[in-house]
Amino acid sequence: MLEKMIFGRYIPGDSFIHKLDPRSKLLFVLFFVVAVFLANNVATYGLLLAFTLFVIFISRIRLYFLLNGLKPILILIIFTFLMHIIFTKEGTLLVDLKIIKIYEEGLRQGIFISIRFLVLVLMTSILTLTTSPISITDGMEDLLNPFKRFKLPVHELALMMSISLRFIPTLMDETDKILKAQLARGSDISTGSIKQRIRAVIPLLVPLFVSAFKRAEELAIAMEVRGYRGGEGRTRYRQLTWGSRDTISMVLLVMLIGALYLLKG
Amino acid sequence: MKEILSLEQVSYSYPTDDDEVVKAIDGVSLSVKDGEWIAIVGHNGSGKSTMAKLIIGLLFPQDGVVNVFNEQLTNENLWDIRSRLGIVFQNPDNQFVGSTVQDDVAFALENNGIPFEEMVKRVHESLKQVKMSEFLDHEPHHLSGGQKQRVAIAGALALRPNLLIMDEATSMLDPQGRDEVIRIVQELKQRTGLTVISITHDLEEALLADRIFVMNKGKILQTGTPDEVFKHGEQLESIGLDMPFALRVSELLRKNGLSLEGEHMTEEELVNELWTSHFKM
Amino acid sequence: MDISLQNVGYFYSKDTPFEKRALQGVDATIHSGSYTAIIGHTGSGKSTLLMHLNGLLKPSEGVVRIGDTTISAGTKTKGLKDVRRHVGIVFQFPEHQLFEETVVKDIMFGPMNFGVSEEEAKRRAYELITLLGLPEDVAEKSPFDLSGGQMRRVAIAGVLAFKPSVLILDEPTAGLDPRGRKEIMELFNHLHKKEDLTTILVTHSMEDAARYADNLIIMSNGTSVMTGTPEEVFADEEKLASYRLGLPRSVQFQRDFEKKIGRKLSDIALTEEQLAEFIAKAALEEGADSC
């Protein structure tokens, strides 16, 4: 189940979207998220949906993988849709099944909310699927740089984030190994009462913590020995370059927001 | 020849809860010259890892003096000295800081404020030296242990160090990874004359060194060239170390009543000796 | 308990963009009471294979038979706990699985999961502490206060404690110093004989395989490429080399030696001791001939 989850994972590629600077992608998603709330009628929601599909198309990520990977979230969206249909009792009555009455307003709102939810999830997924986590971190560090003036430890946050990202696969492997080792010793995590199951997690968590602390300690030593003394006087190896692609995407964003503004009711 | 490192009567004991104090390093003196390959060998717990920590200033001795590059190691010159030496630790995963190979190689350069253009040059150069150039953008979890250690060596080389310390750098690797790493260091040594201190419990690896220090219970038990040290084979075995293959076989042959002339470090030498002494008619 | 694999294949992350084949068409039989070594490089699929041997992974293709239990892609996970009681695995760096407050409690974890009574589990734990050569006073200590080598032994005891009839060892000596390595391997060899265990050793070390195993499975690229007795497998030097594997050092030495003296020794030397013995014998014959 978990290994099929696609949310937050990165698929390398060389599409237009893949090649964008992480800063432009981050800005784009940020403003897109806000712009989504401008939509309030068929035309604007239609535009949002069409635009999202267009982005998926040029990202060259297969829709099947995307939907398959987002299954748990899709279930949530369908659930929200049903809630709206059942509980909104405004507008004309469309279908009357005695127990459940579906009203026009309920259907309308259900569809709108679902589209809003869907485009938000799809757009953020496209961001993470086409941008390596480390690029996202770089982009964020750069965008947040002005806030250094307000004592925001931007460099430290970015370093923490990049190290966490770097260790996620290592720790996932480790979790899997420890889980397998305890299963082999007859531990049973998938059956029994809730209390039993919680107790069965201890043999997994303790070794995981012990190892994470050991890693952290060794990593800190390795960093220190390699001359790490905080952000002061440090140069940067990872450089970001803003290209014409990025300007194009910003222009597109402005056009989209303009269109949404004009079309909204 | 110039001296790179010296320890004078160095002692260190870890703080414990018990009153009884065991010295991890007990009055050790040694000196390493420029361009030497030194192996410090000993079983786990012999004090050899503490030695590494003292050399790079992670620990300071309670007694005695550690001199690196002819300067006494102190809190003040620590960072300067560290920027002139490279160290590769045991666990390949826990020293890989960067998110990709090239980021990791650049890490120490970034810390030392090297300008961008120079960094790019040095990253490529160092990766070429360890034959990892094609792996520039690989993420650590897609690399083998041996490859990760080679990246760690590149990261050390990028600073153009005068001294490379390998702290059990091959002990967690499979035989293939171990061979990769040793071969790379050997080549580097030959090409650049880099001074190498390798801390290990693998005597086959120690065989490649110019000089060996054998550690036991915090003291230096023996010093000398591999030939000199392995003459005392039984003593090495008694402190939990293994002798090189050819020496083990020689000893077994003698036990089987076969006379052999001299000591033979490599299989080839031993085969030749067997041929001349017993089979050449 | 016999274990057999028929045309076993396995995919990680099946049906996702990250799908990766790890095993393909593996055929192998491990007879009850044998000492089998599975040899291959990192990434050859040997670790994935070993997890099929006690139901930790279910094959995506083909069938695994462990005693009377048959496991294939559709097998329910529930019945597999019983298999695990009979097939114990000592994973690589097993000390990473320790978690209890005391050494004794950690060793008791396995047996108690498999329904052994508390007193019996405790009795076994103390017995194993002695058997593994640990000092007696470690019993009530925290496993995290022990040295690396001692932690390794405690973890091994934790698997031996539920008395599996098949014992799988995944690089059990990785990271140990030479003495520790030898002691642990000798211990397993002793148990193999005394307890009549079926032992499966996953290793990079041709020397360990040659010294201890009576049956070899060579893995390369996710499939079993050579199987047989050590004598059979080591006879085909070229084929081994094509999988980037070398001969054990004693056999290699024997080959170099034979080349030099221009004749073959009658037996293959699987250990250094045998090597010395065979060469001494040959020298004696040589001496007799020339007189």
Side-chain angles (χ1 to χ4, degrees), chain A residues 10 132 134 159 162-163 166-167 169-170 173 211 214-216 218-230 232-239, chain B residues 56 58 79 82 87 89 91 93-100 102-104 106-116 119-120 123-124 140-141 155:
Chain A
Y10 167 58
S132 69
I134 193 66
L159 185 79
S162 79
I163 289 177
R166 174 253 147 295
F167 274 94
T170 312
D173 280 356
S211 120
K214 186 162 176 266
R215 281 184 197 283
E218 288 186 13
L219 188 72
I221 290 178
M223 286 171 66
E224 191 192 319
V225 172
R226 291 168 76 184
Y228 180 75
R229 280 187 280 181
E232 273 317 292
R234 245 180 141 246
T235 41
R236 276 189 64 166
Y237 183 69
R238 300 185 71 89
Q239 305 275 333
Chain B
I56 55 176
L58 284 172
W79 296 99
R82 279 182 188 162
I87 178 157
F89 292 103
N91 190 322
D93 260 318
N94 298 354
Q95 55 187 314
F96 205 113
V97 187
S99 44
T100 67
Q102 53 176 334
D103 289 308
D104 190 63
F107 182 70
L109 298 175
E110 293 179 311
N111 293 336
N112 283 286
I114 310 286
F116 177 70
M119 275 203 270
V120 176
V123 166
H124 285 85
H141 62 280

Side-chain angles (χ1 to χ4, degrees), chain B residues 135 144 146-147 150 174-180 183, chain C residues 39-46 203-207 218-222 225-226 233-234 236-248 252:
Chain B
F135 295 90
S144 71
Q147 289 171 331
R150 275 151 69 194
D174 58 21
Q176 210 187 1
R178 184 182 147 263
D179 291 347
E180 277 170 31
R183 212 175 313 128
Chain C
I39 308 167
H41 286 297
T42 310
S44 61
K46 58 189 189 331
T203 185
H204 300 290
S205 162
M206 282 290 175
E207 289 71 32
I218 308 281
M219 294 290 295
S220 179
N221 257 326
V225 287
M226 287 172 94
V233 170
F234 297 143
D236 201 343
E237 192 181 339
E238 273 164 39
K239 196 169 176 194
L240 272 175
S242 72
Y243 304 117
R244 293 180 297 121
L245 292 167
L247 292 172
Q252 187 61 53

Side-chain angles (χ1 to χ4, degrees), chain A residues 166-174 177 215 218-219 222 226, chain B residues 87-106 126-127 130-133 135-157 164-166 168-174 176-182 184-185, chain C residues 42 92-93:
Chain A
R166 174 253 147 295
F167 274 94
I168 285 174
T170 312
L171 289 177
M172 295 270 272
D173 280 356
E174 181 122 346
K177 267 183 211 152
R215 281 184 197 283
E218 288 186 13
L219 188 72
R226 291 168 76 184
Chain B
I87 178 157
V88 181
F89 292 103
Q90 178 178 26
N91 190 322
D93 260 318
N94 298 354
Q95 55 187 314
F96 205 113
V97 187
S99 44
T100 67
V101 166
Q102 53 176 334
D103 289 308
D104 190 63
V105 176
S126 314
L127 282 172
V130 300
K131 305 203 169 71
M132 287 290 289
S133 295
F135 295 90
L136 221 53
D137 285 315
H138 277 60
E139 289 168 29
H141 62 280
H142 292 135
L143 300 176
S144 71
Q147 289 171 331
K148 277 181 229 174
Q149 292 302 64
R150 275 151 69 194
V151 173
I153 294 173
L157 291 179
L164 179 68
I165 301 169
M166 315 249 291
E168 304 232 30
T170 59
S171 75
M172 282 179 77
L173 305 180
D174 58 21
Q176 210 187 1
R178 184 182 147 263
D179 291 347
E180 277 170 31
V181 170
I182 293 176
I184 290 288
V185 176
Chain C
T42 310
Q92 202 172 4
F93 299 108

Side-chain angles (χ1 to χ4, degrees), chain B residues 42-45 90 144 171-176 201-202 204 237-242 245-246 248-249 252-253 256-258 266-268 270-272 274-275 278-281, chain C residues 41-42 92-93 149 171 174-182 204-205 207 244 249-251 253 256-257 260-263 272-273 275-277 279-280 282-284 286-287 290:
Chain B
H43 60 88
N44 293 346
Q90 178 178 26
S144 71
S171 75
M172 282 179 77
L173 305 180
D174 58 21
Q176 210 187 1
H201 57 229
D202 181 357
E204 301 277 351
E237 283 194 326
S238 75
I239 60 164
L241 293 170
D242 234 351
F245 182 79
R248 289 202 305 267
V249 174
L252 287 165
L253 283 167
N256 276 283
L258 217 58
T266 66
E267 279 101 314
E268 205 188 333
L270 181 58
V271 168
N272 285 333
L274 280 167
W275 167 243
H278 296 280
F279 291 89
K280 199 163 92 183
M281 291 304 141
Chain C
H41 286 297
T42 310
Q92 202 172 4
F93 299 108
E171 295 282 352
L176 295 181
D177 59 16
R179 181 192 286 165
R181 226 176 289 159
K182 208 175 287 170
H204 300 290
S205 162
E207 289 71 32
R244 293 180 297 121
R249 296 190 85 158
S250 57
V251 180
F253 188 95
D256 295 343
F257 172 72
K260 190 87 187 172
I261 65 164
R263 68 180 172 95
E272 291 150 22
E273 291 80 5
L275 179 69
E277 195 188 317
I279 292 178
L284 214 65
E286 193 86 357
S290 63

Side-chain angles (χ1 to χ4, degrees), chain C residues 52-163:
Chain C
H52 282 82
L53 303 180
N54 80 340
L56 282 174
L57 291 179
K58 288 178 283 186
S60 312
E61 304 157 349
V63 182
V64 178
R65 281 197 190 83
I66 306 166
D68 302 328
T69 316
T70 306
I71 306 172
S72 58
T75 308
K76 287 243 161 54
T77 314
K78 272 210 172 128
L80 298 179
K81 190 169 166 180
D82 196 48
V83 171
R84 291 183 195 139
R85 189 162 66 83
H86 297 292
V87 185
I89 301 190
V90 175
F91 280 95
Q92 202 172 4
F93 299 108
E95 57 274 24
H96 293 170
Q97 73 196 28
L98 301 175
F99 72 98
E100 273 286 8
E101 293 158 62
T102 67
V103 166
V104 166
K105 278 190 189 167
D106 209 291
I107 301 176
M108 287 163 66
F109 178 68
M112 285 179 63
N113 280 331
F114 290 122
V116 173
S117 73
E118 196 173 334
E119 304 97 80
E120 171 63 11
K122 200 166 205 162
R123 198 187 57 76
R124 286 188 197 173
Y126 276 96
E127 212 177 271
L128 284 163
I129 287 174
T130 322
L131 181 73
L132 283 158
L134 288 160
E136 254 166 56
D137 65 330
V138 301
E140 293 300 324
K141 278 192 187 164
S142 158
F144 300 107
D145 287 340
L146 306 182
S147 75
Q150 289 176 328
M151 282 171 82
R152 174 81 48 105
R153 284 159 201 257
V154 172
I156 290 169
V159 175
L160 295 176
F162 52 89
K163 300 200 167 168

